[in-house]
Amino acid sequence: MKMYSKVFAMFLLLVAVFYQVGSTSVTEQQAEEDSAEVLFPWRQKTVGSSGLQRAKRAWVIPPINIPENTKQIPKNLVQIKSDTLEPGKVLYKIQGPGVDEDPKGFFEINETTGWVILMNVLDRETHSKFKIKAYALDLSGKPMEDPTELEIHVVDQNDNRPAFVQEEFTGRVHENSKPGTSVMQVEATDADDIETDNAALAYSIIGQESIPPFRINKTMFGIDELTGIISTRDVGLDREEVEGFNITLQVADMSGSGLSSYSSALIYINDVNDNAPNFTSETFQMSVMENKVQADIGRITVTDEDEPQTENWWVKYTITAGDPEGNFDIRRDDATNEGIVSVVKPLDYESLNYYELVVMVENESPLSLMGPKTPPSSATVTINVLNQNEPPGFRQSPLRLSVPEGSPAGTLLASNIALDPDRQALRYDVEYDPDQWLFLDDESGEITANKEITKNSRFLTKDVYMAVITVEDTGDYPSTATATVYITVLEVNDFAPEPFSLSEFMCNDPEKGSGLVLSATDKDQPPHSAPFLFSLDDSEPENIRNWTLHRINDTHAALRLLSAVVEGEYVLPVVLSDSGTPALAEIHMVNVTVCHCNNEGDCQPILAAIFSAGAGLSLGALLIILGSIVLLLLLLLIMAAVEQCHRRPIRKGMLGISDDDIRDNILNYDEQGGGEEDENAYNMDQLRNPNEIIPPPTTAMPRGKQPVRKDTPYNYPSPSYPRKTPADPIDIEDFINDGLDAADKDPNVPPYDTALIYDFEGDGSLAGSLSSIASGSSDGDQDYDYLNSWGPRFNKLANLYDKH
């Protein structure tokens, strides 16, 4: 029974619900029709007792609100009327956005009733309001009223879900952060009207998962539902435990009860240097060969729990003890954080064969206050130095020695010149000694002079002699070293200076002439040579009274008379010394001929010698000498006159008597286009008088044995100069041929087979024909047909002698 009662009650409830829904629909429809407002924007009003008057301006019409997404299309929105004319005599029009302007097609008006009708579904997110103008016209189209403005607002509906601005958000937070530490802020937007609850958003976290999963299960983060700021809400963020968290976010409108959307946020834990590095072992062993430099000898390893490849993980190594000389260095391998031990200075097994380094390790960045309070980790690195047969070495390389010239054989030049790091016995040898100057003891290494050291060696370069020596140890695998020896031969003052000239002339009058200039040379080199010191030997007071020496420069001095002396020969002792250490000086006898000088100061040395040598001659003897000189001059004049008389006159040659000597027209042309205008004619004297020898210029006459050309035949001997011409030539052609033959066979002149090129020498010559020289026959007896075969240059000549 109770069951039936329950079923009946539920039936009655359903009936009541359906009735309510139906009544609500009818009520809403009726309310919509009833709510359609009739507007009179142009209504007249009564003023006083005078009746009706037109209003000066339209009424202010409040906005018309229309919900978006309305499905009842078309729908009457509002009716406008004008009370100016009777109904049916007024036409209504609207204009503006939504009507005839974009967006078009949303609104229309009934021209006769004035109802504004919605023709399309509205979307507030696209167009939130419209402003259109309404017009009232008479039937003729004449405006009856001023246009009035209708403003239509689209009412928002919650038809848009909120959306996050990113599909995934990313944030970071330091490990060990306190609760309440801000991490990041997320953001979402809603296209609905922000002035309504449709866009009132609320944020929330609906899920959290650690990376790697299941490391931390408690809720570590919270979010402000209004601002979207995510903050820490618990302790225990440890990067060494988890790398981060994946959080699921939700945003909902209507303050969290409306439409919702979802997103995610990745929160990474930033590392903090809260872990100190530690060596993996307390001791490390390694070894290295001595004398190695810039060589890696081993690695030391550490661990650090902080994030790899960061400043909190990278370490630096410091050698705190065991390396006072700085022989070692430790650098970090950035990829593995290992310490690479290397040698930066060569090690010596004989000095120290064992090193024990104490190494400390720290992070590059300071340790956090949350880190351990223990001292830095340290370890001991033991390095064994291995022995190596090291080569011997010279104490000085190259070996530079200075030896005075003239040092005798056996002079010690150098000793103790090499050493061996392994303290082994050494053997010495001379590798290069071009002049055999050195003797090298093969055991002690002492270098002595093998012969006298002089500057006369041709192997000296700027007084420096070069040799090469070697040294070798006596180990199992001998090593050798080489050194160059430079011996500088020092200059020694072993030569006294010498005057340049010991005999000169000078005037007996101190007022005439410039005196006598003395110069000196020294075989020594500076600083044992110039400047020189000139002085007169003071052992003879007479010289000091009559003569004096004045210095001109480092190598010259002037000898002058203090008073007039008798003309003749004088021998003066001059002391000449150099600037060496010690200085060398010698007395040199300088012969001075004192002569009589004219007013210009020109000396006459011959007369001075005669007067000096003939101090005991009589006047008669002197006259005899002068007469002999005059007689000798007369004999020379007579011989010259006789020779002149015996010279033959130049005869004219074979053609000398001819008035029409055509050889005067033989011209020498150096270039083409000569002709009669050329003024440099050939010298015809040789052709006119072949027997008369005309010698060539002195400078062109061959002297001595002349060089023979390489292209001359071996059987052509060199002729004698000057060449003789043929005797009494009969014909000029024979004379020229003989001379040509002699020139061809002369191996000392330009090549015998030199090609001679004959070119056009100009035209318009006044010279006659040369054919009569070679033949006594007339032109008519000759046959000139062969000229036609000589080429174009002889065509004109062939035409002239043509037989016709």
Side-chain angles (χ1 to χ4, degrees):
M1 187 68 181
K2 291 181 179 180
M3 183 177 178
Y4 289 115
S5 299
K6 291 181 179 180
V7 172
F8 181 74
M10 290 179 65
F11 175 75
L12 292 177
L13 180 61
L14 289 174
V15 171
V17 169
F18 284 121
Y19 175 80
Q20 181 68 27
V21 170
S23 62
T24 300
S25 301
V26 174
T27 302
E28 288 180 355
Q29 183 176 2
Q30 184 65 35
E32 181 180 342
E33 293 177 355
D34 295 340
S35 64
E37 187 176 2
V38 179
L39 302 179
F40 294 90
W42 303 288
R43 183 183 296 274
Q44 295 178 342
K45 62 181 180 178
T46 302
V47 179
S49 60
S50 59
L52 296 175
Q53 290 185 353
R54 292 290 302 271
K56 291 185 178 181
R57 62 178 64 186
W59 290 358
V60 177
I61 301 177
I64 303 170
N65 296 321
I66 305 174
E68 65 174 334
N69 304 321
T70 298
K71 307 299 183 183
Q72 297 178 1
I73 302 299
K75 178 180 181 180
N76 293 335
L77 299 180
V78 65
Q79 184 181 19
I80 58 176
K81 286 186 177 183
S82 173
D83 55 1
T84 304
L85 297 177
E86 296 179 0
K89 296 182 179 181
V90 180
L91 297 178
Y92 299 97
K93 300 290 185 180
I94 57 175
Q95 181 186 25
V99 183
D100 57 349
E101 297 179 13
D102 291 333
K104 299 178 181 180
F106 280 95
F107 303 102
E108 291 182 359
I109 190 169
N110 190 313
E111 295 182 351
T112 57
T113 63
W115 276 100
V116 178
I117 306 171
L118 176 64
M119 303 300 297
N120 212 334
V121 178
L122 296 175
D123 184 6
R124 191 207 66 84
E125 288 72 35
T126 305
H127 305 287
S128 60
K129 63 181 179 179
F130 298 88
K131 286 185 178 182
I132 60 179
K133 290 184 178 181
Y135 300 89
L137 309 174
D138 60 14
L139 296 179
S140 64
K142 179 180 178 180
M144 300 175 56
E145 310 288 349
D146 293 335
T148 188
E149 188 174 82
L150 300 179
E151 185 172 342
I152 302 175
H153 287 185
V154 182
V155 179
D156 182 53
Q157 301 291 325
N158 189 16
D159 58 346
N160 292 281
R161 289 181 179 274
F164 285 98
V165 296
Q166 295 178 217
E167 293 183 1
E168 184 177 77
F169 296 88
T170 302
R172 288 184 173 275
V173 63
H174 292 297
E175 64 175 328
N176 301 321
S177 294
K178 298 178 181 179
T181 301
S182 177
V183 179
M184 60 187 297
Q185 182 178 14
V186 297
E187 183 181 0
T189 59
D190 196 317
D192 292 325
D193 191 355
I194 60 175
E195 301 296 334
T196 65
D197 288 343
N198 297 335
L201 305 181
Y203 299 93
S204 60
I205 295 176
I206 61 175
Q208 169 189 299
E209 184 179 3
S210 64
I211 304 173
F214 311 115
R215 291 289 182 91
I216 297 179
N217 295 321
K218 60 182 178 179
T219 302
M220 300 298 299
F221 300 96
I223 189 170
D224 189 304
E225 65 175 5
L226 297 180
T227 63
I229 296 176
I230 300 176
S231 305
T232 59
R233 56 177 291 180
D234 206 340
V235 296
L237 290 176
D238 186 2
R239 196 211 63 81
E240 287 74 35
E241 184 70 20
V242 292
E243 296 180 4
F245 292 87
N246 190 355
I247 297 175
T248 303
L249 303 174
Q250 174 184 280
V251 61
D253 57 16
M254 304 295 290
S255 298
S257 60
L259 303 176
S260 61
S261 296
Y262 302 93
S263 182
S264 62
L266 287 176
I267 300 177
Y268 294 100
I269 310 301
N270 287 336
D271 183 54
V272 175
N273 191 15
D274 56 348
N275 294 282
N278 294 286
F279 282 103
T280 58
S281 176
E282 294 183 354
T283 60
F284 296 89
Q285 298 283 339
M286 55 192 68
S287 60
V288 60
M289 188 69 68
E290 66 173 332
N291 299 319
K292 275 194 173 183
V293 181
Q294 303 299 333
D296 298 338
I297 60 176
R299 294 190 173 217
I300 54 180
T301 56
V302 296
T303 59
D304 193 318
E305 296 181 0
D306 290 318
E307 184 177 2
Q309 305 301 319
T310 65
E311 292 183 353
N312 298 331
W313 181 74
W314 279 320
V315 297
K316 57 182 179 180
Y317 298 90
T318 306
I319 300 175
T320 59
D323 186 24
E325 302 297 329
N327 294 318
F328 302 95
D329 179 64
I330 304 177
R331 69 182 188 277
R332 182 190 68 235
D333 185 340
D334 291 341
T336 63
N337 224 13
E338 296 175 337
I340 304 173
V341 183
S342 60
V343 180
V344 295
K345 292 183 180 180
L347 305 177
D348 185 10
Y349 174 85
E350 289 71 26
S351 300
L352 186 63
N353 59 9
Y354 175 85
Y355 290 87
E356 194 171 84
L357 309 180
V358 178
V359 182
M360 181 183 69
V361 64
E362 296 176 295
N363 284 122
E364 281 194 350
S365 63
L367 193 65
S368 172
L369 297 177
M370 300 178 184
K373 302 298 188 283
T374 57
S377 176
S378 60
T380 301
V381 181
T382 302
I383 301 174
N384 296 312
V385 182
L386 306 179
N387 189 25
Q388 182 186 33
N389 184 20
E390 302 172 75
F394 287 92
R395 298 181 185 273
Q396 180 185 357
S397 182
L399 182 61
R400 302 185 183 276
L401 306 176
S402 297
V403 182
E405 65 171 329
S407 298
T411 302
L412 179 62
L413 303 181
S415 61
N416 192 21
I417 58 176
L419 56 86
D420 183 72
D422 298 325
R423 301 180 178 86
Q424 301 177 90
L426 302 177
R427 290 191 298 267
Y428 298 88
D429 191 14
V430 177
E431 186 175 287
Y432 176 74
D433 184 13
D435 209 10
Q436 306 298 319
W437 275 21
L438 306 181
F439 175 78
L440 179 62
D441 190 295
D442 60 352
E443 293 183 357
S444 66
E446 286 188 348
I447 303 175
T448 56
N450 192 46
K451 62 182 180 179
E452 182 182 0
I453 305 298
T454 66
K455 286 192 173 184
N456 297 328
S457 175
R458 62 187 180 91
F459 297 100
L460 283 178
T461 303
K462 294 183 180 180
D463 297 336
V464 177
Y465 180 81
M466 187 191 77
V468 179
I469 60 176
T470 61
V471 61
E472 184 182 56
D473 61 25
T474 56
D476 295 335
Y477 301 96
S479 300
T480 305
T482 304
T484 303
V485 181
Y486 293 104
I487 301 176
T488 301
V489 181
L490 302 177
E491 182 68 25
V492 176
N493 193 16
D494 51 355
F495 293 99
E498 298 178 355
F500 184 74
S501 178
L502 298 177
S503 179
E504 289 292 346
F505 298 91
M506 65 183 300
C507 297
N508 65 335
D509 188 351
E511 302 298 329
K512 296 181 180 180
S514 58
L516 176 61
V517 177
L518 299 180
S519 62
T521 59
D522 197 328
K523 295 180 180 180
D524 294 320
Q525 300 295 325
H528 301 297
S529 55
F532 302 123
L533 177 62
F534 297 84
S535 63
L536 292 171
D537 186 10
D538 57 1
S539 60
E540 298 184 15
E542 183 179 356
N543 294 336
I544 303 301
R545 289 193 301 268
N546 296 331
W547 305 85
T548 182
L549 278 170
H550 295 284
R551 181 177 181 273
I552 298 177
N553 53 32
D554 290 346
T555 58
H556 293 77
L559 177 65
R560 296 180 182 274
L561 282 169
L562 295 176
S563 59
V565 297
V566 180
E567 299 175 1
E569 295 285 343
Y570 291 86
V571 179
L572 299 178
V574 176
V575 180
L576 184 58
S577 62
D578 56 23
S579 299
T581 305
L584 294 181
E586 285 188 1
I587 299 176
H588 299 274
M589 308 309 292
V590 178
N591 297 320
V592 181
T593 300
V594 179
C595 59
H596 177 74
C597 294
N598 55 21
N599 292 333
E600 287 77 17
D602 296 330
C603 187
Q604 299 171 342
I606 298 178
L607 294 177
I610 291 174
F611 286 124
S612 175
L617 293 178
S618 62
L619 180 60
L622 184 58
L623 293 175
I624 292 174
I625 293 175
L626 293 176
S628 300
I629 294 174
V630 173
L631 181 60
L632 180 60
L633 293 175
L634 290 175
L635 291 175
L636 292 175
L637 291 174
I638 293 171
M639 292 176 62
V642 171
E643 180 65 25
Q644 185 68 20
C645 293
H646 283 286
R647 292 180 61 188
R648 291 187 300 173
I650 297 175
R651 298 183 298 106
K652 290 188 177 181
M654 299 171 292
L655 303 175
I657 58 176
S658 176
D659 293 334
D660 191 17
D661 190 354
I662 64 174
R663 289 174 293 183
D664 286 338
N665 293 319
I666 298 178
L667 305 179
N668 177 31
Y669 299 109
D670 293 330
E671 59 185 15
Q672 298 182 9
E676 292 296 327
E677 293 80 11
D678 199 328
E679 298 177 359
N680 298 324
Y682 178 78
N683 186 0
M684 302 299 297
D685 291 342
Q686 183 69 24
L687 295 178
R688 295 192 185 97
N689 305 287
N691 293 330
E692 186 67 20
I693 298 175
I694 301 176
T698 305
T699 56
M701 179 67 71
R703 296 178 180 178
K705 185 177 181 180
Q706 300 300 310
V708 178
R709 300 193 315 272
K710 295 182 179 180
D711 61 339
T712 184
Y714 67 91
N715 58 347
Y716 283 179
S718 297
S720 58
Y721 290 93
R723 285 197 295 262
K724 295 181 180 181
T725 58
D728 299 325
I730 300 174
D731 192 283
I732 187 65
E733 182 180 5
D734 296 333
F735 171 78
I736 294 175
N737 289 334
D738 292 340
L740 177 62
D741 184 70
D744 285 345
K745 294 181 179 180
D746 188 350
N748 305 115
V749 297
Y752 69 99
D753 57 352
T754 300
L756 302 178
I757 301 173
Y758 298 92
D759 252 335
F760 177 62
E761 296 183 347
D763 50 15
S765 176
L766 302 177
S769 175
L770 298 178
S771 61
S772 60
I773 298 177
S775 174
S777 60
S778 64
D779 294 341
D781 298 332
Q782 301 294 327
D783 185 7
Y784 298 103
D785 290 341
Y786 60 87
L787 294 177
N788 294 317
S789 61
W790 283 14
R793 295 192 179 191
F794 295 91
N795 289 341
K796 186 175 182 180
L797 185 60
N799 293 334
L800 292 176
Y801 287 90
D802 194 0
K803 290 183 180 182
H804 67 275

